[in-house]
PDB file of all heavy atoms in Angstrom:
ATOM      1  N   CYS A   4      -6.438   7.793  -9.732  1.00  0.00           N
ATOM      2  CA  CYS A   4      -6.432   6.393  -9.303  1.00  0.00           C
ATOM      3  C   CYS A   4      -6.406   6.369  -7.777  1.00  0.00           C
ATOM      4  O   CYS A   4      -5.463   6.886  -7.161  1.00  0.00           O
ATOM      5  CB  CYS A   4      -5.230   5.636  -9.867  1.00  0.00           C
ATOM      6  SG  CYS A   4      -5.045   3.990  -9.142  1.00  0.00           S
ATOM      7  N   PHE A   6      -5.891   3.998  -5.659  1.00  0.00           N
ATOM      8  CA  PHE A   6      -4.785   3.274  -5.023  1.00  0.00           C
ATOM      9  C   PHE A   6      -3.459   4.018  -5.189  1.00  0.00           C
ATOM     10  O   PHE A   6      -2.608   3.957  -4.305  1.00  0.00           O
ATOM     11  CB  PHE A   6      -4.706   1.836  -5.529  1.00  0.00           C
ATOM     12  CG  PHE A   6      -5.839   0.960  -5.035  1.00  0.00           C
ATOM     13  CD1 PHE A   6      -5.999  -0.328  -5.519  1.00  0.00           C
ATOM     14  CD2 PHE A   6      -6.742   1.414  -4.091  1.00  0.00           C
ATOM     15  CE1 PHE A   6      -7.039  -1.141  -5.066  1.00  0.00           C
ATOM     16  CE2 PHE A   6      -7.800   0.617  -3.629  1.00  0.00           C
ATOM     17  CZ  PHE A   6      -7.946  -0.663  -4.129  1.00  0.00           C
ATOM     18  N   CYS A   7      -3.262   4.725  -6.310  1.00  0.00           N
ATOM     19  CA  CYS A   7      -2.075   5.576  -6.413  1.00  0.00           C
ATOM     20  C   CYS A   7      -2.105   6.652  -5.319  1.00  0.00           C
ATOM     21  O   CYS A   7      -1.068   6.976  -4.727  1.00  0.00           O
ATOM     22  CB  CYS A   7      -1.994   6.234  -7.790  1.00  0.00           C
ATOM     23  SG  CYS A   7      -1.391   5.127  -9.084  1.00  0.00           S
ATOM     24  N   HIS A  46       1.741   1.857 -10.859  1.00  0.00           N
ATOM     25  CA  HIS A  46       0.389   1.711 -11.403  1.00  0.00           C
ATOM     26  C   HIS A  46       0.386   0.858 -12.662  1.00  0.00           C
ATOM     27  O   HIS A  46       1.034   1.179 -13.642  1.00  0.00           O
ATOM     28  CB  HIS A  46      -0.211   3.079 -11.739  1.00  0.00           C
ATOM     29  CG  HIS A  46      -1.592   2.974 -12.336  1.00  0.00           C
ATOM     30  ND1 HIS A  46      -2.730   3.112 -11.585  1.00  0.00           N
ATOM     31  CD2 HIS A  46      -2.000   2.686 -13.589  1.00  0.00           C
ATOM     32  CE1 HIS A  46      -3.793   2.936 -12.358  1.00  0.00           C
ATOM     33  NE2 HIS A  46      -3.373   2.674 -13.595  1.00  0.00           N
ATOM     34  N   HIS A  97      -6.158  -0.564 -10.758  1.00  0.00           N
ATOM     35  CA  HIS A  97      -4.760  -0.617 -10.301  1.00  0.00           C
ATOM     36  C   HIS A  97      -4.647  -2.006  -9.694  1.00  0.00           C
ATOM     37  O   HIS A  97      -5.398  -2.331  -8.753  1.00  0.00           O
ATOM     38  CB  HIS A  97      -4.536   0.500  -9.267  1.00  0.00           C
ATOM     39  CG  HIS A  97      -3.158   0.581  -8.688  1.00  0.00           C
ATOM     40  ND1 HIS A  97      -2.456   1.782  -8.585  1.00  0.00           N
ATOM     41  CD2 HIS A  97      -2.354  -0.357  -8.145  1.00  0.00           C
ATOM     42  CE1 HIS A  97      -1.294   1.557  -8.006  1.00  0.00           C
ATOM     43  NE2 HIS A  97      -1.208   0.261  -7.727  1.00  0.00           N
TER      44      HIS A  97
HETATM   45 ZN1   ZN B 202      -2.939   3.502  -9.596  1.00  0.00          ZN
END
Side-chain angles (χ1 to χ4, degrees):
C4 171
F6 289 173
C7 282
H46 179 97
H97 180 133

